[in-house]
């Protein structure tokens, strides 16, 4: 399979990004993915600049291959995280951004020779990112785990491809070679996967959360935060059910105030990742959790996906 020039410019063997998942994607997971030839991405999430700096150091100590950092733009530490990344610019190839508009930081990253790849959920966002100089975009459908937009990957990706003249990476609902091959057919130059990497051998996700992903069926995800305005896809568990019940009750009021409900959600992904607590932890995962049946080392995941796609595409 001939890689697109953008993917080649990142020094990748496989056209596959590992999503920069908050609390999940640390320096160890990112390095394992990068060592195997994909793009490992550290998820800064809501972590402090200091923690992100440590994870960058860890990744550097474990790999000589290119890796990236995902900046969560809603984080209260975003300025610190950006500064940490700029300081470590020699070792960071790509910055992806989530939950917002990274225009403000774009020129700083570019001046530091870091490629900027914002995650977008609509054509309008993609066009804006292309206009302000993004190197590529990740077009992420609402099948994905974590915070989501409104469009599906199947509908979003080709519309973004038609609207911008920068490379498009497809995300959301992709967990095997069929998904990678389909993404190419939609005009993408590669994919970003999150859910499949949750169960990677090198992922720090708590065993109970991993088991829930491995056992999940197609219909086992729900959307929390839809009423409160921050929709996120998670596996159904006691925490998700309670959250949805409370936010529905709040939405039914004449003057809803979601502050208290949101408070319950704060830190809930971290709780799930570190402790596996089903009562208080958000088991974020995508609709493809039903396809993820095996916990494998990151290198095996990448090779499986790539080989299956190559066969399906007739070896091209
Ligand atoms: C647990 C979890 C945490 C995530 N955290 C982030 C994040 O902090 N920033 C971001 O841009 N995307 C985040 N994502 C989205 C992933 O990076 C990726 O785009 C998505 O998982 C792809 O869809 P999939 O889950 O169907 O593979 C997260 C996804 C999951 C499952």
């Amino acid at each position: 399979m001939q890689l697109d020039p953008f993917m080649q410019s990142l020094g990748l063997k496989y056209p596959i990004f590992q999503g920069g998942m908050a609390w999940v994607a640390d320096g160890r997971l990112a390095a394992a993915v990068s060592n195997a030839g994909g793009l490992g991405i550290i998820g800064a999430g809501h972590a402090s600049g200091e923690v992100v700096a440590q994870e960058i150091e860890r990744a550097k100590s474990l790999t000589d291959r290119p890796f990236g950092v995902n900046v969560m733009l809603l984080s209260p530490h975003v300025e610190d995280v950006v500064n940490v990344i700029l300081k470590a610019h020699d070792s960071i190839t790509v910055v992806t951004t989530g939950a917002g508009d990274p225009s403000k930081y774009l020129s700083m990253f570019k001046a530091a020779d870091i490629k900027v790849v914002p995650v977008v959920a609509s054509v309008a966002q993609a066009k804006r990112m292309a206009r302000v100089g993004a190197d590529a975009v990740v077009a992420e459908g609402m099948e994905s785990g974590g915070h989501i937009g409104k469009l599906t990957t199947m509908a979003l990706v080709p519309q973004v491809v038609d609207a911008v003249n920068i490379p498009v990476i497809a995300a959301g609902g992709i967990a095997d070679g069929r998904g990678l091959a389909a993404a190419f057919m939609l005009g993408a130059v590669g994919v970003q996967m999150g859910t499949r990497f949750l169960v990677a051998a090198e992922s720090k996700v708590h065993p109970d959360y991993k088991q829930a992903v491995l056992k999940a069926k197609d219909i086992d995800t729900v959307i929390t935060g839809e009423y409160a305005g921050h929709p996120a896809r998670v596996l159904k568990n006691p925490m998700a059910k309670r959250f949805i019940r409370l936010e529905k009750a709040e939405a039914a009021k004449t003057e809803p105030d979601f502050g208290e409900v949101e408070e319950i959600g704060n830190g809930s992904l971290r709780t799930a990742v570190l402790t596996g607590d089903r009562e208080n932890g958000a088991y974020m995962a995508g609709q493809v959790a039903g396809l993820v049946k095996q916990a494998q080392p990151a290198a095996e995941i990448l090779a499986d996906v790539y080989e299956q796609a190559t066969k399906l595409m007739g070896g091209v």
Side-chain angles (χ1 to χ4, degrees):
M1 187 190 295
Q2 178 78 18
L3 290 203
D4 163 87
F6 176 70
M7 289 301 196
Q8 279 180 28
S9 76
L10 304 182
L12 303 183
K13 178 174 167 201
Y14 302 123
I16 301 172
F17 287 12
Q18 158 257 308
M21 297 175 276
W23 304 116
V24 173
D26 57 7
R28 177 168 174 244
L29 178 63
V33 171
S34 289
N35 277 332
L39 186 75
I41 303 178
I42 296 167
H46 286 242
S48 67
E50 202 182 324
V51 168
V52 175
Q54 280 164 12
E55 293 306 327
I56 292 171
E57 280 310 309
R58 183 135 78 117
K60 269 168 69 178
S61 72
L62 295 170
T63 186
D64 292 327
R65 307 201 34 112
F67 65 89
V69 179
N70 174 264
V71 179
M72 168 56 101
L73 296 160
L74 287 176
S75 163
H77 305 292
V78 63
E79 301 288 335
D80 282 352
V81 168
V82 168
N83 285 330
V84 162
I85 293 171
L86 291 173
K87 258 196 210 145
H89 68 99
D90 278 348
S91 20
I92 295 165
T93 308
V94 174
V95 161
T96 62
T97 59
D101 182 341
S103 304
K104 186 175 157 193
Y105 307 109
L106 220 120
S107 55
M108 290 186 241
F109 289 135
K110 296 200 72 158
D113 213 17
I114 297 173
K115 300 236 167 27
V116 185
V117 184
V119 177
V120 299
S122 71
V123 164
Q125 282 176 350
K127 277 179 151 173
R128 172 157 171 74
M129 291 303 104
R131 207 166 47 239
V132 296
D135 295 284
V137 286
V138 172
E140 188 191 66
M142 54 83 84
E143 299 94 321
S144 87
H147 292 277
I148 54 171
K150 287 195 160 51
L151 296 173
T152 60
T153 302
M154 182 73 103
L156 175 68
V157 172
Q159 294 189 68
V160 170
V161 167
D162 285 351
V164 297
N165 54 10
I166 53 175
V168 178
I169 292 126
I174 298 163
D176 64 14
R178 291 171 295 183
L180 174 56
F184 285 134
M185 294 304 116
L186 297 177
V189 300
V191 297
Q192 170 162 289
M193 301 193 308
T195 299
R196 182 139 185 207
F197 285 112
L198 285 173
V199 300
E202 299 86 351
S203 145
K204 68 190 260 195
V205 167
H206 189 277
D208 292 354
Y209 181 174
K210 283 190 178 178
Q211 274 307 313
V213 174
L214 291 167
K215 284 198 187 134
K217 297 191 300 293
D218 53 350
I219 55 166
D220 282 349
T221 67
V222 287
I223 302 172
T224 56
E226 212 161 23
Y227 296 91
H230 299 294
R233 187 176 298 285
V234 301
L235 290 180
K236 250 182 246 166
N237 70 359
M239 162 68 184
K241 286 183 195 157
R242 180 160 53 103
F243 192 97
I244 292 172
R245 196 176 59 243
L246 291 173
E247 68 170 334
K248 268 190 187 162
E250 195 58 44
K253 294 183 182 166
T254 9
E255 284 186 36
D257 173 0
F258 293 99
E260 260 179 51
V261 188
E262 297 247 43
E263 199 52 49
I264 300 173
N266 287 344
S268 58
L269 173 60
R270 183 165 186 261
T271 302
V273 171
L274 298 182
T275 71
D277 180 355
R278 306 166 64 237
E279 303 293 330
N280 301 295
Y283 283 6
M284 286 187 176
Q287 291 182 332
V288 276
L291 267 187
V292 179
K293 295 286 170 222
Q294 211 188 340
Q296 294 166 291
E300 255 178 58
I301 295 176
L302 291 164
D304 273 6
V305 172
Y306 184 78
E307 279 161 24
Q308 190 187 17
T310 307
K311 265 195 207 135
L312 286 169
M313 294 166 67
V316 290

